[in-house]
């Protein structure tokens, strides 16, 4: 994961890209991570331990790290790389960073 921190998102942030990232997040991520990224999604409250995106250490992770975790999984989170295209994962990563800064 250290190398993932060095990978930069190739997509340029725009209102349209963030809107698409939000839509994708709501489809693939919100059920565990919650609408606010607080780990309080319907599944997240059952499977305790889903981290909040604003917790110390998580908030500082790069978009490359977020991309890697979505693609390959980490801990109890399964890999989603076979379900979501790399371009869509980058859009989700941009949206996750927006959630962290709210």
């Amino acid at each position: 994961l250290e190398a993932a921190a060095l990978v930069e998102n190739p997509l340029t942030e725009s209102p349209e890209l963030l809107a698409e990232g939000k839509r994708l997040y709501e489809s693939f991520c919100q059920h565990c991570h919650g609408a606010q990224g607080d780990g309080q999604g319907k599944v997240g409250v059952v499977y305790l331990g889903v981290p909040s995106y604003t917790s110390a250490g998580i908030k500082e992770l790069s978009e490359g790290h977020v991309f890697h975790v979505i693609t390959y999984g980490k801990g109890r989170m399964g890999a989603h790389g076979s379900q979501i295209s790399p371009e869509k994962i980058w859009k989700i990563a941009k949206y996750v960073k927006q959630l962290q800064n709210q």
Side-chain angles (χ1 to χ4, degrees):
L1 286 178
E2 289 181 29
L6 302 176
V7 178
E8 292 190 22
N9 193 328
L11 304 178
T12 303
E13 188 171 315
S14 69
E16 297 79 17
L17 183 134
L18 289 172
E20 177 68 3
K22 179 180 181 181
R23 186 190 70 73
L24 292 164
Y25 177 89
E26 289 170 349
S27 295
F28 293 104
C29 313
Q30 184 171 307
H31 56 279
C32 285
H33 293 282
Q36 304 305 313
D38 56 7
Q40 298 300 302
K42 290 181 180 182
V43 176
V45 296
V46 175
Y47 293 100
L48 302 176
V50 177
S52 170
Y53 292 149
T54 59
S55 64
I58 302 288
K59 188 172 185 174
E60 303 305 319
L61 297 175
S62 70
E63 289 180 33
H65 185 99
V66 174
F67 177 90
H68 188 275
V69 170
I70 294 170
T71 303
Y72 299 106
K74 183 178 181 190
R76 292 188 304 170
M77 179 175 161
H80 290 74
S82 66
Q83 301 168 313
I84 311 170
S85 73
E87 180 180 359
K88 289 179 179 178
I89 294 173
W90 281 121
K91 289 177 181 180
I92 293 168
K94 282 272 186 214
Y95 181 70
V96 166
K97 295 310 283 185
Q98 179 185 357
L99 275 178
Q100 290 177 321
N101 293 319
Q102 289 183 354

